[in-house]
Amino acid sequence: MKQTLLITNILNDPAALQAVGEAIRDGKTVVFPTETVYGLGANGLSEDAIDGIYEAKGRPSDNPLILHISRIEMLEALVASVSEDAQALIDAFWPGPLTLVFNKSEKVPYRATGGLETVAIRMPRHPIARAIIDAAGVPVAAPSANLSGKPSPTKAAHVIEDLSGRVDFIVCEDSVEIGLESTVCDVTQAEPVVLRPGSIGVAEIRQVTGKGHLDPGIHEVKHLVKPKSPGMKYRHYAPEAPMILIEGSMEEVVEYIRGLHLETERVGYLLFEDTLKTLEINGQTLGPREDPDIIALRLFENLRHFKAAEYDKIVCEIPARGTGVSDAIRNRLLKAAGNDLVILSKS
Ligand code: TXA
Ligand code: MG
């Protein structure tokens, strides 16, 4: 077990900031907040430091990581080239929740890229993330700071639950703004390809570059489940209990849930405010049906709420397709439910 130091109020504590920067240069692991989710950072140029990340997360070491930078001057040394599209996206969205995948330079270790010739880079806008990267003076490799298989952490409490005793520092401050991981966009192709949906949608990328598409590998729904026999495939990805995911209007969902007659089972409900109210049942609220930003910010915390010991299944609503954020929420919920979805709307 490691001795994990918790740090608060780091922006008003120059000595702590310097210590954390030094620790990163020295190959230690530091968890810090970003505007998307908390990251588990280490020196992105050191193979040993990167091994420390994998060890802390309990994650296989062939997963590629995002290198976080705080200044645009840090980019040049890490990539082979910056295309016109990439530059336009940088100008429009950095610093912010957009990760770009470039062809890597020789300086980037394969341990950071999972052996790939490409490297993912992001300049976060969160002031603490930027101050820490600045203090480190090196690109900071940082996956989401959850144990492998759990939802990404959006609160210091989640990080402490997952990684206490496994990392050197946890920089606490509950100031995540978005709640979903960054959009990952490959800019090594003829047009930008979104590999992971996030709050910045394909539409916004197209607005900037005039082109771009969602990776066809991101199949929205694998199984369209007939309402009578909802799929409840167990997924290792959070939450701990199997999920029934439902899409429909409030009225359709209310009728469907009443028809399931789940009264005698240990069911966790994760529903929109209006549905919960109408059904008059206890459950977690996803938030207001029409407000994807609020839904996104609470989503992972909501998923963490349902522990296997307490629930046999989770009945959860999914927002309709729409903006970047709604589509990113759909992506995460579909993953959590093993891509099974009950679609109730006739239209
Ligand atoms: O918002 C975020 O992106 C957070 C914060 C901490 O910055 N980080 C994060 O990292 O979500 P992680 O490791 O949990 O997810 C990184 C994603 C994965 O989907 C990975 O496959 C993709 O980025 N990725 C990384 N390098 C890549 C590469 N060279 N080519 C394609 N995809 C890559
Ligand atoms: Mg992750």
Side-chain angles (χ1 to χ4, degrees):
M1 265 242 319
K2 284 192 176 207
Q3 191 166 3
T4 302
L5 249 155
L6 301 188
I7 298 181
T8 53
N9 206 12
I10 194 167
L11 291 182
N12 293 313
D13 189 345
L17 188 57
Q18 206 188 328
V20 162
E22 220 163 88
I24 291 176
R25 277 198 302 281
D26 275 0
K28 300 216 158 62
T29 45
V30 177
V31 174
F32 57 87
T34 83
E35 70 275 22
T36 57
V37 299
Y38 277 82
L40 197 185
N43 186 341
L45 300 180
S46 155
E47 302 214 320
D48 288 344
I50 291 166
D51 283 344
I53 291 177
Y54 290 122
E55 209 179 301
K57 265 185 85 92
R59 163 170 169 168
S61 64
D62 57 354
N63 256 324
L65 299 176
I66 298 170
L67 296 188
H68 295 71
I69 60 175
S70 54
R71 304 166 180 279
I72 198 68
E73 303 84 70
M74 296 171 85
L75 179 66
E76 200 182 333
L78 305 175
V79 302
S81 63
V82 178
S83 68
E84 224 172 275
D85 287 343
Q87 190 59 52
L89 291 170
I90 288 169
D91 293 342
F93 297 116
W94 279 11
L98 177 68
T99 295
L100 295 174
V101 174
F102 300 87
N103 289 311
K104 77 177 205 66
S105 74
E106 274 179 16
K107 202 171 172 192
V108 175
Y110 284 108
R111 195 79 101 251
T113 71
L116 297 173
E117 293 299 335
T118 53
V119 59
I121 301 183
R122 168 162 117 80
M123 190 193 292
R125 69 168 173 240
H126 194 294
I128 293 182
R130 305 195 62 190
I132 288 175
I133 302 162
D134 261 345
V138 291
V140 176
S144 49
N146 50 285
L147 279 181
S148 194
K150 289 236 225 164
S152 298
T154 52
K155 294 266 171 74
H158 307 158
V159 175
I160 292 168
E161 178 183 313
D162 281 12
L163 297 178
S164 201
R166 303 178 72 101
V167 296
D168 295 298
F169 292 91
I170 297 176
V171 177
C172 304
E173 182 168 305
D174 284 334
S175 49
V176 156
E177 307 166 40
I178 296 169
L180 301 176
E181 309 88 344
S182 62
T183 304
V184 177
C185 180
D186 182 351
V187 286
T188 67
Q189 318 281 324
E191 58 175 75
V193 184
V194 171
L195 304 177
R196 178 175 71 183
S199 60
I200 295 171
V202 174
E204 284 154 286
I205 286 169
R206 292 181 71 96
Q207 232 167 38
V208 170
T209 61
K211 51 194 186 297
H213 61 269
L214 199 63
D215 180 62
I218 304 175
H219 288 304
E220 244 241 323
V221 181
K222 207 160 66 189
H223 310 282
L224 282 188
V225 179
K226 288 204 192 83
K228 281 283 151 58
S229 56
M232 287 181 288
K233 190 159 35 127
Y234 181 81
R235 282 279 307 195
H236 194 70
Y237 190 85
E240 292 181 13
M243 246 171 126
I244 303 176
L245 200 56
I246 312 168
E247 176 170 14
S249 67
M250 195 264 279
E251 292 75 16
E252 288 165 330
V253 171
V254 165
E255 193 192 322
Y256 177 70
I257 290 178
R258 284 192 176 134
L260 288 175
H261 295 293
L262 295 169
E263 292 80 6
T264 59
E265 297 184 59
R266 299 186 311 162
V267 180
Y269 292 97
L270 181 49
L271 304 170
F272 293 120
E273 267 168 21
D274 54 356
T275 314
L276 269 181
K277 233 169 145 183
T278 308
L279 281 168
E280 294 182 306
I281 48 179
N282 286 325
Q284 292 288 111
T285 173
L286 278 165
R289 186 176 293 273
E290 303 306 333
D291 197 333
D293 291 339
I294 293 182
I295 298 167
L297 190 53
R298 295 180 184 167
L299 184 68
F300 289 146
E301 181 169 31
N302 270 326
L303 290 177
R304 273 178 184 260
H305 174 81
F306 299 103
K307 306 285 181 209
E310 292 162 52
Y311 297 96
D312 299 321
K313 65 181 73 134
I314 299 158
V315 175
C316 176
E317 281 187 276
I318 190 170
R321 293 203 62 165
T323 59
V325 191
S326 313
D327 290 346
I329 294 166
R330 287 178 66 89
N331 170 265
R332 304 309 189 274
L333 280 174
L334 282 162
K335 274 190 171 178
N339 284 330
D340 284 344
L341 175 62
V342 179
I343 298 180
L344 300 175
S345 300
K346 313 282 180 291
S347 50

